[in-house]
Structure formats: C-alpha cells, structure tokens
Amino acid sequence: MAARSERSPPPFPDSEEPELLEDSDDGADAFTGTSISQMDSPKDIFSEPPEDISSDPLSNINSDLQKKVDATIPSPSSDEADLFSEPLDDDSEVMSSPEVQNPLPDLLNEPVKAPKSGVLGEPPVHKSSSVKKAASAEMFGDDDDEEDLFKEPPKVLTKKPQPSGPAVDVFTEVKVKPQVKDDPTDLFTEEDLTAPVPKPSASSSSSSRTNGVHSEEQDLFSEATVELSLDSPRNDRKKDAVKPSVSAPAAPEASSSSRAPSKTLEELEEEESEDKFDLNISVTNPEKVGDGMNAYMAYKVSTQTSLTMFRSKTFTVRRRFSDFLGLFEKLSEKHSQNGYIVPPAPEKSILGMTKVKVGKEDPSSAEFVERRRAALERYLQRVVSHPSLLQDPDVREFLEKEELPRAVSTQTLSGAGFLKMLNKATDAVSKMTIKMNEQDVWFDEKIQDVENEEQHLRKLHVMVESLVNHRKELSGNTALFAKSVAMLGSSEDNTALSRALSQLAEVEDRIEQLQQEQASNDFFTFSELLADYIRLLGAVRGCFDQRMKAWQRWQDAENMLQKKREAEAKLLWANKPDKLQQAKDEIAEWEAKVTQYEREFERISATVRKEVIRFDKEKARDFKRQIIKYLESVLHSQQQMIKYWEAFLPEAKAIA
Amino acid sequence: MEGSSAEAALSVSANSIRITDVTQDGDVLTFAIASQKLNSSAGVCVFRMYEDFDWLQQSLFSEENLPGLQGIIFPPLPSKALPSQSNTQTKALKQLGFLALGQDWQSYCKALEFYLQQVAAHPTLCKCKALDSFLINSESPGKQRGRKGIFNRLSQAVEEMRKESHKDVDNFFQNERNKNTNLAASSKVATEKLLDVVMTEQKLAVACGHFATSLHLCVNQDDAAAVAFSKVCLKLSDVIEAVKRNYEKVASNNLSTLGLGLDLESRYQESEKEMLFRRTCKLIELETVKKGTEKAKANKREVMEAFQKAVEKEFNLISSVAKQEIERFHSSRVKVLKTFLIGWCELQLNTAKEFAELYSQHLEACRNMYSE
C-alpha cells in the first residue's frame, strides 16, 4: 500500500501545473459548478471529475488524456514509481495546498482526514493503512473496475502527460475554489477535492519547470517532457500569469478560514470529546509466555466502550510489550510530522525484562511488571483520549484484532531509543532555527514554556523519587521498630506493660503496611505521572520541531525564489531571451512552492497550536485527577491511623 | 548555705524543678533551673552548666554518710552534649540519641530536668547536701572537680566482662540480672529503631518541603490552561506542605514522648545494671573474704572473721537497699512508661485526626477546584 500511495501523490503534481494554466484559460468557470455537485463522496470525486472533464471543454484534453491514461494505466507501477521517486519528496511537502490546510483543521471526522491527508501530500509519507486504502481507492482504483481506471486516469493523465494536464488542472483548481467558498456543508467533500487540487498546483509548478529547464525533473518525466516541450512555452506564460492570481488569493483565504474555523472546531471537538468519550481501557493479567530469553510478558488489554466505531461494547485481546511499541511507532510515523503530539510508549527496559525472564518470583521483578503494566495502561488511555489518534485504524486494530502481525523493528528500537533519536534531531534543528525569527509570539513563549516546564518536571521528578525512597525507608524502619518493640514486650515482666508493648508492635506493623502502600501510591501517582509527562513534553517538543522544519522549508523556498528572480533580472539585463523563459518557469515553480510550503507551515502551526492547547488542558486535568487520587489515599491512611491509635489508647491506659 | 542543717530534706519541691531556658555560648550550654521552695511560694532560679550536673552526680556517688549507697539505682545523667557546630549531626546522634534531636536542645533539657526531678524525688538521694546546693546556691558548686567518683565507668567496663557472669547466691538477684540484661539490650535497640524512624520522618518532611517548594516553580500565568495547571500545582504544593507538617508533627510527637521515654528507660536500665554490678562486685569480694577466712591461720582468723562480718553486713545492707530500689524502680518505670505511652498515643491520635480533617478539606477543595 505504501508504495502505491507514494506513487499516487506525484501524479497530482503533474496534473496541477497544467491545470493552473488551463484554469486561466477556459475550464475553470465551466467546471466549477459541475465539480461541486459531484463532490459529495471523496471517492466519487476522482471518478466524476474525469467524466466531467471529458464531457466539458476538456474534450480535447480528454482524448489526449484517455490515450495517455491508457498508456499510463498499464504502466503506473513502473512509470510512476520512477517519475515520482524524486518529486515525491518535494511534492509531499508541497502538497499541503491552501485549501488543504483549511480542511485539515476543520476536519473533525477522521475518515475525512485520512483520505485527505493521503491524497494531499501525506500518502507518500504515511504508511498508515487507512491512508493507503483511501489513496489507493481514490487514485488507482482497483484494477478490476474499468471505471476506476478511468477515474484514475484523470489524475494519472494529468500527472504524467503534462500536455493533457492543463485540462485536468483546470478542473481541479476550479473545483476547489468554488466548493470551498460555496458550500459549507460539503466541507469534507470539498476538502477532498481541494486536496487533490493543491497538489496539482504544486506539482504543476515543478513539472512546468521540469518541462522547461530542470534536468532532474526532466529525467523523471522524460515521456511527458517530450510532449510538453511543444506546449511548454505557452504553458509557462500562462502559468506565470495564472499563478499570481490563483496562489495569492488562495493563501489568504486558506489562512483566514483555517484560523477562525479551527478554533471553533477545537472547542466543538473538546466538548464533543468530553461529552461522548466513553472508552475504558485496562491492561491486566501480565503473564509470562515462553521460557528463557525468548520469554515475554503478555498483557490482557480489555476495552469497554459505547463508541459506535467499535464492533462491540467490550472486547479483550492479548498483547505483548513490543506490540505496544509497534503501535507507538506506527502512530508517530503517521502523525508526529503533522504536528500531532503522539504519546510516547513506555520505555523498553532490558535490565528489568531480563530479570523477569531469568528470575523466579522475586519482588523486584514483580514490581517491574506491575510498573510496566500500569505504564502500558496509561499509555493506551492517553492514545485513545486523543481524538485524532483514536480514529487511527491501527489503534482500532490494536484494541480489537485478535492477532497482530509481530512488530519487528521495535526489538532494537524502543520507545526510548526513538525518542532519543527524535531529540537528537530536535537539537540539530533547534541549532538551525536560531535563525528562525519567530513571528508568532504564542509559539515563541510556548516553546520557552515547554523547555522550562520540562526542567521543572525533571526537578520535581527527582524530588518525588527521593520522597518515595524516604517513604520506603520509613516503612522499613517502622518494621524494625515494630520488631524491637515486640522484643521489648516479650522480655517485659509487667504483664500489662508487656501486653501493651506487643499491641504496640502490632500497631507499628500495620502502620508499616500503610507506609508501604503510601510509598507505592506516591510512586504511581506522582513519580510515574511526572516521568510520563517528561516524555510527553519530549513529544511536544518534537511537534515544535516539525513546525520548525516546515518553516525552514518555506524559508529555503523563499530564498530560492529570490535567487531565481535575481537570475531572471540578470538575464533580462543581459538580454538573453532564450534563457529567460526557463528562468520564468523556475520562478513560477518556486513561487508555487513557496505558497505551498507556507500553507503547510500554517497548517502545521495550527495543528501544533491546537495540540499544545489540548495537551495543556489534558495535563491540568490529569494532574488534578492525580492529586485527588493522592489525597484520597493519604486521607485513607490517616483514617486507618486514627483507628489504630484509638484501638491502642485503651491498651496504654490499662497498664497498671 | 541555706539548708545547712545536715539531715534536712530538700528545701524545694521535686515536682517544681524545671529547666526553663538554655543558652549556648560556643561549646558551653548554660541551663536555667527554676524550682519552688517547699515552705514558701518563692521561686529559685540558678544557672548551671553540664559540669555542675556532673559534679552533682559524682557527689551523689560519693556521698559518705549513706548506708547501702551502692545498692541505690542512681538516676542516669545524660552524657555531655557537645554543641559546637563542627560536631556533625551524626556524631551527636550516636552519642546522645534522641537527646540530640529537637530544637534548641529541648529534649536534652527535658532529660536533664527529668534527671533532677528523679534525684529530688529519690527517698535517699534527696537528702544529699550536694543536690540542695545545686538547686539553690547561686554560685556554681562544681569547683572541686577532680573528685572522681568511686564508681568509675571506665574501670568498671574492664572488670565487667569477668564479673558479669558471676553466679549469684540469691535467686532474686540472679533473675533480676538476667531480666535486666535483656531489657537493657532490647530497650536500647528499640530506642535506636525509633530514632531511625524519627530521623526518616524528618527526612521525609524535608523532602516534602522541597517538593512543595519546587511545585511553585511550575506556576505560570500565561494562558488559561497554564493558569489552570498552576492552580493545580499550587494546590498540590499546599497538600504536600500539609503532608510535610504532618510528618514533622508525628516526628516531634515520637520524639517528645515515646522517644524520651524509651531513652530514659534504656538509660535507667543501664543504671540498674550498674547497681547490680556493684552488688555483684561486693558479693565477689565477700566470697573471697570468706575463702580467705577459712584458709586463714588461727591468729589471723579473728581479724578475718571480723572483716568478713563487716563485709557481709555491708553486702546484706546493699542487697536490702537494692531490693527496695529495684521494687521502686519497677513500679516507677512502669508508671513513667505508661505516661509516655499514653501521652504519645494521644498526641498521635490528635495529629492523625487533625490532618485527616485537613486532608479531607483539601480533597473537597480539589474536587471543586475547577470542573471544566
């Protein structure tokens, strides 16, 4: 699937360029209406557009397209793969179209997101099954259905055959704008539509360049370029003309629309999640499976829910630790680059696990297992409490599916290792980003906050650790004291005093139990909580880094554009018209890229912002919950203490 | 001197003796000792250093006109406190145990006070002139130091191993000695363990304090979520602060009641042990004299017999005094332990109640903190 999805995106890019050019010409107006109507279903979009296209002005194009399609369809695997291998990187990043950005924040529904993301630029990046499926369905359709083939062809056609592309591009763009603006209700469909469109534009720009100048791209599109070469002069000019108009307006719209709606949506989402969230996950019954070094612990993951997305209300699966790590890796691969905070899975502990494997029933390994069990439970609860992650098919599969394919990569790369890598990358990036002058004060402050907070939490964690250790020490000492009091009582002559002393020894024994409980309470409520949040903050920083990377990309593109413009100016000065065209192509391409990257940056910024806000809220709620839990435990042990003393007091008074 | 009439009882009431204040000047602790005259409402206040206490103890040891002095269980004097700051806490703890804890030597003063009260309440020792002058004379009496008591603990330690296991002629004393050895050991262990508990409680309180303080670092007023989180942190800080006070209170309860009680008990057991040992020494002396008398030739026999009689008389006197003392000691130590146990239990109970109340208030406040 992944391979397909990767391939699929490129097609759009190609088509986009042509579209843009075409839009300016005729097609845009014609298709706006039609496309919208068809927009209803994401899948349909693809299929429909082609038809429309063919029926409408595009007829010329269609013929070409179809031919090309025919040609392309058989070849997709081979050609596309080659073609897009390089472009993919660019495209995928570029892909975030202005329109796309809007939809993403708005997209509360996961299904919508997945397809979009897949379609837009993500497919190449994401291997998620959902994305893949969506993408595959949309883009390549099934080999079985001829219709699908046709549906695909539009894209394919647009992509590969740039000459034909123009028509396609026109459609996409046209559709996008009208839909977004016109129908609020159709947002999802529109988004889907729009998604494809943006890509096209980005890709188109690149492709256009390739046609004209770029050597790399030329190779990729070798076939296309041959044909294009004829058209290119026209296209390029058109692009130049078109792009400014198209891209410029689009961006503002995107940003404005994305911001305003995104907030309201967030709120809606929040409320929704709070009202409807009904999902209890517990991890229980750790069980050792196998012997020796191949042994592993299996945990029972029970889910209880009324959410309709699950097949039943309660279900139970058995999972081993590496399955959890595998889940984390899948999720972080898919979502962290979009600015989502993916909760980190518990760290792998070779020492602890080896003990469990080798050791018999010794208390430290029992403690280790219990600690891990609790950590896994918290991990899953964090994952499902994230509205977007909950919708991820991998999560559902993890909770529901009887047998999971064995997660292999995790054996070497545990959550911790992954985070470390992430952090390293983070540091490298952050050095780079010293250059980044943050225009958004909110982010500026937040990044600072997160760093401070991490330090504070680390400090707190140390404190709590020592607290817990002292508690353990206290319970140990109390036990010793109880013993010595018992001794004292037994060597005491006075019966009443002796009795009182042995009672006292019992009291102290119970107090010791209380202290032990309290120590583990402290540990689980605070120490583990803080450790979790320290790692979560790492994930938050990862998000900021993703945003930073997006920004970097945008700035690089901006610089590149600047250079290209200077080159053009030089050419003008030197009066070399032959190269001028090429320079203009490049400028157009980079302008599109800049727009693309900027939108992507805005999209990521919006996501990160939303995520961080959500994270903060969640954090406050979590801590509050823990405090209440802690107070309850402290209160309980205090009440026990009262009972013990009240029982002992008459004994003391009875000493004659 | 006021109470110069030799046999007159102590002129102040034993129960009124208090150490009201302590001042530290470098290495020297000066204690203010207040007491109430028996025949009037006038109070007496004197200032004494540890050396004066030591002088008093030595004077008691070497009191001359007290028959059966060696059978007396002397109230134990705490060992000398070395308050110089260079002295590490651990060293002081090793030396003084519980008495090194507590603020401003409070528990040490308590122990000294208890010592004075015990001496003053002792039916024989209270007649001692040294005590009267210690309590009343405004001038420091302990000028003639060098006077080492007859019972030098150092020399005792050497002989102890040899004579400790000497079989007693009297079953009562044999039993008492066995029991005393047990009790002395186990009360010492119990005291040490309780000391560990208290120390850990104090450490825990300190750790809670650090935690509570660090929580304030997390306060941030930037936005709504941060404010909410800050509130949570502050609340938690309050809670932890309460936990901290709880532990401080529990620790000081342990210290001021059971801790002091066990400490006193263990020192008293030591004191009884010393008395029993002195008696054992006398017994051994008597037995050697008896043997000598048997072996002695006729011309010396008379002298020896007279000597033996004197020793025997002394030994019997010591034994009878010792019996009384042991009886007195048992009843008083049970009473003392009972008071300490009851006081301890009540304090702990009150503390537990107080903090249970506080915690439930916190819990209520937390639940209503913000529900969003």
Side-chain angles (χ1 to χ4, degrees):
Chain A
M1 299 295 281
R4 280 197 203 169
S5 61
E6 288 175 9
R7 290 170 198 162
S8 60
F12 294 97
D14 298 352
S15 62
E16 292 168 6
E17 289 185 354
E19 290 172 345
L20 293 174
L21 301 177
E22 289 175 352
D23 292 343
S24 60
D25 304 354
D26 317 356
D29 304 343
F31 296 100
T32 55
T34 55
S35 62
I36 296 169
S37 61
Q38 294 167 346
M39 295 310 204
D40 305 346
S41 63
K43 290 182 182 177
D44 297 354
I45 297 167
F46 292 101
S47 62
E48 292 172 354
E51 293 176 3
D52 298 338
I53 296 169
S54 61
S55 64
D56 290 339
L58 299 176
S59 58
N60 305 336
I61 300 167
N62 294 344
S63 62
D64 295 352
L65 293 176
Q66 286 176 347
K67 292 172 190 172
K68 295 172 183 177
V69 172
D70 297 345
T72 55
I73 294 170
S75 62
S77 59
S78 61
D79 296 359
E80 289 178 2
D82 301 347
L83 292 176
F84 300 101
S85 58
E86 293 181 356
L88 287 181
D89 304 345
D90 303 349
D91 294 351
S92 63
E93 295 168 358
V94 176
M95 292 306 203
S96 61
S97 61
E99 291 151 347
V100 174
Q101 291 179 344
N102 302 343
L104 288 179
D106 301 357
L107 298 178
L108 303 179
N109 311 340
E110 295 126 5
V112 178
K113 288 180 182 177
K116 294 172 187 175
S117 63
V119 175
L120 300 181
E122 296 170 352
V125 182
H126 294 286
K127 293 171 185 176
S128 71
S129 59
S130 67
V131 175
K132 297 169 187 175
K133 290 173 190 169
S136 66
E138 295 170 1
M139 321 204 84
F140 297 101
D142 305 343
D143 296 326
D144 309 347
D145 302 13
E146 293 180 0
E147 288 183 0
D148 296 356
L149 293 177
F150 289 104
K151 298 170 185 176
E152 296 172 354
K155 300 174 184 178
V156 177
L157 295 175
T158 55
K159 302 165 188 174
K160 295 175 181 178
Q162 290 176 348
S164 65
V168 179
D169 297 356
V170 174
F171 292 102
T172 55
E173 288 183 354
V174 175
K175 295 169 187 176
V176 175
K177 293 176 183 176
Q179 293 166 349
V180 176
K181 296 169 184 174
D182 301 356
D183 304 11
T185 54
D186 297 358
L187 288 178
F188 295 101
T189 56
E190 290 176 3
E191 289 169 359
D192 296 349
L193 296 174
T194 57
V197 177
K199 298 170 185 176
S201 66
S203 60
S204 64
S205 64
S206 65
S207 66
S208 66
R209 293 175 193 170
T210 56
N211 299 342
V213 183
H214 276 296
S215 57
E216 303 171 3
E217 291 183 356
Q218 279 180 349
D219 297 336
L220 297 173
F221 299 98
S222 57
E223 294 178 4
T225 49
V226 176
E227 293 175 4
L228 291 172
S229 60
L230 302 175
D231 301 359
S232 62
R234 246 198 297 148
N235 292 345
D236 293 353
R237 283 172 215 150
K238 289 175 184 176
K239 289 174 189 172
D240 293 349
V242 175
K243 284 178 184 174
S245 63
V246 175
S247 62
E253 285 173 14
S255 59
S256 65
S257 61
S258 66
R259 277 172 201 159
S262 71
K263 281 191 180 175
T264 55
L265 287 173
E266 277 172 31
E267 288 164 16
L268 286 176
E269 201 179 337
E270 283 272 335
E271 287 169 18
E272 228 175 8
S273 68
E274 277 175 33
D275 293 342
K276 292 183 186 168
F277 191 75
D278 172 29
L279 185 58
N280 280 319
I281 293 191
S282 57
V283 176
T284 51
N285 292 14
E287 218 174 67
K288 195 167 152 186
V289 179
D291 285 314
M293 289 316 283
N294 289 325
Y296 62 91
M297 297 300 294
Y299 303 85
K300 199 167 121 188
V301 178
S302 322
T303 314
Q304 210 182 359
T305 181
S306 61
L307 293 184
T308 49
M309 58 179 282
F310 292 100
R311 267 183 245 124
S312 53
K313 293 210 176 213
T314 56
F315 39 90
T316 302
V317 289
R318 283 199 84 73
R319 295 282 180 259
R320 53 184 293 183
F321 183 63
S322 54
D323 295 333
F324 287 83
L325 289 186
L327 175 64
F328 163 69
E329 266 158 47
K330 280 185 205 156
L331 291 178
S332 81
E333 219 172 317
K334 266 186 272 178
H335 297 285
S336 66
Q337 63 175 8
N338 289 331
Y340 286 111
I341 300 172
V342 181
E347 288 175 19
K348 198 161 184 146
S349 161
I350 293 169
L351 182 73
M353 200 50 211
T354 311
K355 259 189 176 171
V356 172
K357 282 172 181 170
V358 177
K360 321 279 180 258
E361 299 295 315
D362 92 272
S364 78
S365 73
E367 196 182 303
F368 168 78
V369 170
E370 165 57 18
R371 186 179 167 188
R372 172 167 278 181
R373 184 206 63 74
L376 290 174
E377 190 173 284
R378 288 194 309 272
Y379 166 66
L380 281 187
Q381 281 162 354
R382 282 208 176 92
V383 169
V384 299
S385 70
H386 192 297
S388 327
L389 294 183
L390 176 61
Q391 304 298 331
D392 191 289
D394 279 329
V395 172
R396 229 174 306 169
E397 198 175 63
F398 183 89
L399 295 177
E400 275 185 328
K401 204 172 169 189
E402 204 52 56
E403 291 286 326
L404 268 192
R406 179 100 166 76
V408 187
S409 57
T410 61
Q411 296 202 302
T412 49
L413 199 62
S414 70
F418 191 81
L419 271 186
K420 263 174 218 153
M421 261 173 48
L422 232 156
N423 282 345
K424 263 184 207 163
T426 306
D427 292 344
V429 173
S430 63
K431 266 169 211 156
M432 272 163 41
T433 51
I434 295 173
K435 287 175 271 170
M436 175 170 183
N437 51 343
E438 185 67 75
Q439 304 94 332
D440 195 329
V441 186
W442 187 87
F443 276 104
D444 207 19
E445 284 176 357
K446 213 67 202 172
I447 291 171
Q448 202 51 48
D449 284 353
V450 166
E451 261 163 38
N452 288 341
E453 198 173 346
E454 196 172 340
Q455 298 214 320
H456 293 156
L457 290 190
R458 276 183 201 288
K459 207 171 165 191
L460 286 184
H461 189 242
V462 173
M463 304 279 171
V464 173
E465 290 278 274
S466 82
L467 197 68
V468 170
N469 286 339
H470 284 315
R471 273 213 197 276
K472 284 184 181 157
E473 192 186 332
L474 179 60
S475 98
N477 283 338
T478 308
L480 289 177
F481 176 59
K483 229 186 212 168
S484 68
V485 168
M487 290 268 294
L488 186 62
S490 70
S491 50
E492 177 58 55
D493 230 11
N494 184 307
T495 23
L497 185 57
S498 167
R499 204 178 114 92
L501 285 176
S502 54
Q503 291 284 333
L504 176 60
E506 241 169 75
V507 169
E508 289 292 331
D509 265 334
R510 288 203 202 111
I511 291 177
E512 185 244 322
Q513 286 299 318
L514 276 186
Q515 282 161 347
Q516 217 170 325
E517 280 164 29
Q518 195 60 55
S520 71
N521 269 334
D522 277 15
F523 179 73
F524 281 114
T525 37
F526 288 132
S527 182
E528 292 288 82
L529 176 78
L530 287 170
D532 278 1
Y533 269 92
I534 288 169
R535 289 185 309 128
L536 276 169
L537 282 177
V540 173
R541 281 206 316 205
C543 273
F544 285 137
D545 291 341
Q546 292 295 341
R547 178 174 166 272
M548 217 99 92
K549 276 186 207 154
W551 184 82
Q552 196 69 36
R553 231 164 17 227
W554 172 31
Q555 293 305 305
D556 287 348
E558 199 89 70
N559 288 339
M560 193 54 117
L561 179 59
Q562 197 57 41
K563 272 184 205 156
K564 297 287 180 205
R565 282 200 174 124
E566 279 162 16
E568 189 203 20
K570 270 182 197 161
L571 285 175
L572 268 176
W573 185 255
N575 201 10
K576 287 182 185 168
D578 47 332
K579 286 186 184 172
L580 202 55
Q581 187 52 53
Q582 190 185 333
K584 277 185 176 158
D585 286 353
E586 284 179 4
I587 289 177
E589 180 191 343
W590 281 100
E591 276 172 346
K593 274 193 184 173
V594 166
T595 320
Q596 198 70 36
Y597 288 151
E598 186 181 357
R599 286 171 189 175
E600 188 162 310
F601 172 70
E602 272 162 18
R603 178 175 61 90
I604 281 202
S605 295
T607 312
V608 169
R609 201 180 171 118
K610 195 178 117 188
E611 283 284 287
V612 169
I613 289 172
R614 185 183 163 276
F615 172 80
D616 279 344
K617 276 191 184 162
E618 199 69 17
K619 183 180 65 180
R621 213 176 296 146
D622 220 9
F623 271 72
K624 184 192 160 197
R625 249 196 322 261
Q626 296 299 325
I627 293 180
I628 290 179
K629 225 167 120 191
Y630 177 74
L631 270 174
E632 280 166 352
S633 76
V634 170
L635 185 59
H636 172 256
S637 50
Q638 205 66 226
Q639 278 159 349
Q640 288 300 111
M641 209 83 109
I642 293 177
K643 269 191 210 159
Y644 297 157
W645 290 127
E646 274 172 350
F648 178 66
L649 191 55
E651 295 287 339
K653 284 184 173 156
I655 299 172
Chain B
M1 269 192 209
E2 224 72 30
S4 54
S5 51
E7 296 301 317
L10 187 63
S11 57
V12 300
S13 92
N15 291 332
S16 69
I17 300 174
R18 293 280 180 280
I19 294 188
T20 53
D21 194 21
V22 59
T23 51
Q24 181 176 345
D25 178 18
D27 238 359
V28 180
L29 290 176
T30 309
F31 306 92
I33 299 159
S35 52
Q36 193 93 41
K37 289 248 186 196
L38 271 183
N39 42 12
S40 72
S41 61
V44 190
C45 185
V46 292
F47 293 92
R48 296 286 181 257
M49 298 183 302
Y50 182 80
E51 282 70 23
D52 301 324
F53 282 92
D54 198 36
W55 168 84
L56 173 64
Q57 185 78 334
Q58 297 304 332
S59 309
L60 295 179
F61 285 161
S62 53
E63 192 64 38
E64 270 143 20
N65 42 12
L66 272 182
L69 177 78
Q70 297 180 55
I72 288 174
I73 300 173
F74 291 99
L77 176 67
S79 52
K80 185 174 181 181
L82 293 172
S84 78
Q85 284 75 7
S86 64
N87 244 12
T88 54
Q89 171 93 1
T90 47
K91 208 172 165 189
L93 273 176
K94 217 172 173 186
Q95 194 192 7
L96 291 173
F98 271 107
L99 305 186
L101 293 178
Q103 284 226 306
D104 299 328
W105 302 98
Q106 279 311 306
S107 39
Y108 191 70
C109 292
K110 266 268 175 280
L112 285 180
E113 181 180 302
F114 207 78
Y115 162 75
L116 288 180
Q117 286 173 3
Q118 289 293 308
V119 174
H122 196 281
T124 326
L125 295 178
C126 67
K127 293 173 190 145
C128 209
K129 268 190 266 173
L131 176 65
D132 206 44
S133 97
F134 178 89
L135 287 175
I136 291 165
N137 203 333
S138 58
E139 266 175 43
S140 181
K143 292 303 171 207
Q144 336 79 313
R145 240 154 268 149
R147 243 175 82 187
K148 272 288 160 203
I150 46 171
F151 313 114
N152 194 317
R153 289 181 195 203
L154 250 179
S155 62
Q156 179 190 332
V158 183
E159 288 174 89
E160 199 155 1
M161 292 304 291
R162 202 155 44 85
K163 293 184 180 170
E164 188 98 294
S165 53
H166 186 86
K167 197 165 175 349
D168 212 302
V169 290
D170 189 336
N171 260 343
F172 172 81
F173 283 104
Q174 187 63 51
N175 283 343
E176 188 60 29
R177 274 164 61 191
N178 294 341
K179 265 185 280 171
N180 170 260
T181 316
N182 274 342
L183 276 178
S186 49
S187 65
K188 194 162 183 220
V189 172
T191 313
E192 277 164 8
K193 295 306 171 199
L194 183 61
L195 181 61
D196 285 345
V197 170
V198 171
M199 295 296 292
T200 321
E201 278 164 353
Q202 287 181 339
K203 273 193 260 174
L204 198 49
V206 172
C208 284
H210 288 320
F211 186 30
T213 318
S214 315
L215 276 170
H216 282 275
L217 291 176
C218 296
V219 174
N220 182 337
Q221 304 289 345
D222 279 356
D223 52 57
V227 168
F229 183 63
S230 301
K231 269 190 204 154
V232 174
C233 283
L234 288 179
K235 192 76 215 166
L236 180 58
S237 177
D238 288 348
V239 172
I240 298 294
E241 189 69 31
V243 174
K244 177 197 167 199
R245 272 183 289 127
N246 188 356
Y247 274 107
E248 278 173 349
K249 198 103 188 243
V250 168
S252 86
N253 290 345
N254 282 339
L255 169 65
S256 66
T257 54
L258 191 64
L260 280 184
L262 280 176
D263 180 71
L264 182 70
E265 160 78 5
S266 107
R267 280 183 297 120
Y268 245 114
Q269 292 289 352
E270 282 302 318
S271 179
E272 191 199 1
K273 195 186 216 169
E274 276 168 30
M275 183 278 284
L276 289 169
F277 177 71
R278 288 193 299 267
R279 191 189 146 275
T280 313
C281 288
K282 207 75 197 169
L283 173 66
I284 292 170
E285 189 190 336
L286 175 62
E287 280 168 0
T288 356
V289 169
K290 268 184 183 163
K291 269 182 209 158
T293 317
E294 277 165 23
K295 283 180 197 160
K297 290 174 185 154
N299 58 341
K300 282 189 180 171
R301 173 158 290 202
E302 214 162 295
V303 184
M304 288 302 283
E305 267 174 2
F307 182 54
Q308 185 195 331
K309 254 191 192 140
V311 173
E312 204 165 355
K313 194 183 161 200
E314 198 182 351
F315 174 70
N316 287 339
L317 184 60
I318 289 175
S319 291
S320 72
V321 170
K323 261 188 194 168
Q324 285 173 20
E325 279 285 299
I326 286 168
E327 227 160 89
R328 205 183 83 85
F329 168 63
H330 281 322
S331 70
S332 88
R333 71 176 267 273
V334 169
K335 250 182 247 156
V336 167
L337 274 182
K338 180 185 172 181
T339 338
F340 278 125
L341 274 178
I342 290 174
W344 180 56
C345 190
E346 277 169 350
L347 274 181
Q348 298 293 47
L349 186 57
N350 287 341
T351 309
K353 277 181 179 161
E354 179 189 333
F355 281 93
E357 175 66 21
L358 190 59
Y359 291 147
S360 62
Q361 279 171 15
H362 275 305
L363 186 56
E364 203 52 40
C366 267
R367 285 194 173 128
N368 301 331
M369 191 157 48
Y370 73 111
S371 32
E372 156 246 13

